[in-house]
Amino acid sequence: TKCGFLYRALGFTLATGLEADKVEVLLLELLYKTDYGNDFDREGVILCFGLCARGQVKTVLNVLHDFEERIQESEQSWQIGAWRKDHPWRRETVKSALMVMYSCVASYCHPQMLLTHVDNPITAKIIHHYSSSCQDICLKMAFMKSVVQVTTAIKNIKDLEDFQFAQKMTLTGIIIATIKAEPTDSLVSPVRTMAMEALSHLSNLKPFYSTEESNELMDISIHSVISLQPPAEDNESIQTLYANAKHALEQLMEGLMQRQLDPKGLQEMVHLLEKWILSEKEGEREKAMNLHLHLLQIYVQSIGVCIPLKLGQFGTLVGLIAPCTCDSHRRTR
């Protein structure tokens, strides 16, 4: 659209054409004049800041910091800038926009500048805005989107060498808490799916999760998804959420399994599924067996060479699965 083009053009122009102080004035004015309740305006400004960061990342970060300082006095109130009669800003809407703005800056800025700024201020500010908010569904989704954007930007850098993402465990803790807070008997938003996708992206960055940490992530994620009731056939939106949640769980477990691709790692993963495979509920058994089968297939495809199981390991695997061949539930059999 015409307006979208203007935001994009403005971002490109500010990235290359003006002195930093003039760019600061223009960007700050843009932040103040944006109607954050309008999806198009908000997304346009976010894109503009990202594009501008290609050539003016320090300036962009300074402007965001300046803006945050100026609105901080009213941050505790429900409305930020409530003195604006045309469109007062809802606090959570602004925080949501700022989080994604920081992650958009990460997506577009020069790789070397990203490594310099990604932990602080970029990720630190994303964490701040999330932690100091009411954490409604929209904000949770914006946070997960930001994490994925930042981690993708880091992963896309060719010469990462030994870069350690210092904020990784803080982000992981927030995401785990979010997954735990999701109801295990109902599915009303894509939050848990986005959270598992964020964990999948984080798992690819150093410092890598320990075996214990990986097992905890998998255990919490399994518990969040496997107890969900299959949605009614006529409810397409919930069906999509349900399918996406199962897929995100598969992807997360698959990614974490790749870090310990040996019989011990396989056995630990199977152990996490054991209580669900032995569940009294048909739906839980079916989902657990499907997940178990998927991971076994990935394991066999990935190892390339045959790593012999230790004495007792094969028997344990067979002993767990064998009774399921007589399961009363046809799909589990």
Side-chain angles (χ1 to χ4, degrees):
T1 63
K2 185 178 178 182
C3 287
F5 171 77
L6 289 174
Y7 278 118
R8 188 176 288 273
L10 180 61
F12 276 120
T13 304
L14 293 177
T16 55
L18 295 170
E19 296 90 350
D21 56 342
K22 291 181 180 176
V23 173
E24 282 194 22
V25 171
L26 288 167
L27 288 178
L28 200 55
E29 187 178 355
L30 191 59
L31 285 174
Y32 271 105
K33 287 187 173 178
T34 296
D35 176 5
Y36 293 96
N38 181 305
D39 290 351
F40 184 82
D41 285 351
R42 185 178 66 251
E43 293 304 314
V45 169
I46 288 169
L47 177 61
C48 176
F49 267 69
L51 292 170
C52 185
R54 280 180 166 172
Q56 301 264 13
V57 64
K58 287 184 179 178
T59 304
V60 168
L61 292 174
N62 285 341
V63 169
L64 288 171
H65 177 72
D66 192 15
F67 179 68
E68 289 160 340
E69 289 284 301
R70 294 186 189 198
I71 64 173
Q72 200 168 19
E73 289 178 15
S74 55
E75 203 178 59
Q76 298 307 314
S77 67
W78 182 247
Q79 304 279 1
I80 293 179
W83 45 269
R84 294 170 60 98
K85 290 186 173 62
D86 50 351
H87 41 71
W89 304 328
R90 185 170 167 268
R91 180 169 172 258
E92 314 311 316
T93 309
V94 179
K95 284 185 166 291
S96 173
L98 286 169
M99 282 194 298
V100 182
M101 222 172 279
Y102 275 109
S103 61
C104 198
V105 167
S107 293
Y108 283 100
C109 78
H110 187 276
Q112 201 52 52
M113 297 301 284
L114 173 61
L115 293 183
T116 304
H117 297 292
V118 70
D119 279 310
N120 191 22
I122 291 175
T123 308
K125 287 295 183 71
I126 290 170
I127 292 168
H128 162 73
H129 287 301
Y130 183 72
S131 301
S132 59
S133 71
C134 74
Q135 295 168 18
D136 59 15
I137 288 176
C138 290
L139 216 98
K140 287 177 181 178
M141 289 167 63
F143 175 75
M144 300 307 166
K145 178 182 176 181
S146 296
V147 173
V148 169
Q149 271 194 310
V150 169
T151 49
T152 301
I154 297 171
K155 194 65 183 170
N156 285 341
I157 297 174
K158 290 178 181 176
D159 301 316
L160 260 185
E161 295 178 356
D162 293 323
F163 174 75
Q164 303 277 324
F165 188 25
Q167 300 281 12
K168 176 174 176 173
M169 295 317 295
T170 306
L171 291 172
T172 302
I174 294 171
I175 295 168
I176 286 175
T178 304
I179 293 174
K180 282 182 173 179
E182 288 292 292
T184 55
D185 58 350
S186 62
L187 189 59
V188 293
S189 80
V191 167
R192 86 184 73 207
T193 298
M194 295 177 76
M196 287 186 286
E197 287 170 353
L199 287 177
S200 291
H201 280 79
L202 278 169
S203 70
N204 293 320
L205 300 178
K206 295 177 182 178
F208 295 128
Y209 295 124
S210 67
T211 302
E212 292 74 21
E213 287 164 345
S214 291
N215 288 345
E216 184 188 9
L217 296 183
M218 288 189 283
D219 195 33
I220 291 165
S221 300
I222 291 168
H223 187 264
S224 177
V225 174
I226 220 154
S227 296
L228 291 171
Q229 293 297 313
E233 289 185 10
D234 59 345
N235 197 332
E236 286 187 20
S237 60
I238 301 297
Q239 275 192 329
T240 302
L241 288 176
Y242 183 70
N244 289 345
K246 289 199 296 181
H247 180 68
L249 176 61
E250 283 183 0
Q251 293 298 108
L252 174 61
M253 293 191 71
E254 188 180 318
L256 292 172
M257 185 175 72
Q258 299 284 357
R259 295 256 158 247
Q260 194 182 359
L261 213 54
D262 55 35
K264 185 173 183 290
L266 175 65
Q267 195 162 24
E268 286 185 356
M269 195 163 290
V270 170
H271 179 68
L272 292 173
L273 289 169
E274 185 174 349
K275 65 180 177 183
W276 303 105
I277 291 172
L278 301 175
S279 170
E280 294 180 358
K281 297 179 180 178
E282 289 181 351
E284 291 178 354
R285 291 200 304 275
E286 182 190 342
K287 283 199 281 282
M289 278 304 302
N290 281 334
L291 191 54
H292 181 264
L293 177 61
H294 174 76
L295 294 170
L296 273 177
Q297 288 171 333
I298 296 298
Y299 177 79
V300 171
Q301 290 167 11
S302 300
I303 56 173
V305 294
C306 182
I307 304 174
L309 294 168
K310 290 181 181 177
L311 185 65
Q313 285 180 329
F314 182 74
T316 302
L317 291 174
V318 173
L320 178 62
I321 300 167
C324 298
T325 60
C326 304
D327 197 280
S328 58
H329 190 48
R330 180 175 58 82
R331 285 202 293 268
T332 302
R333 290 201 302 274

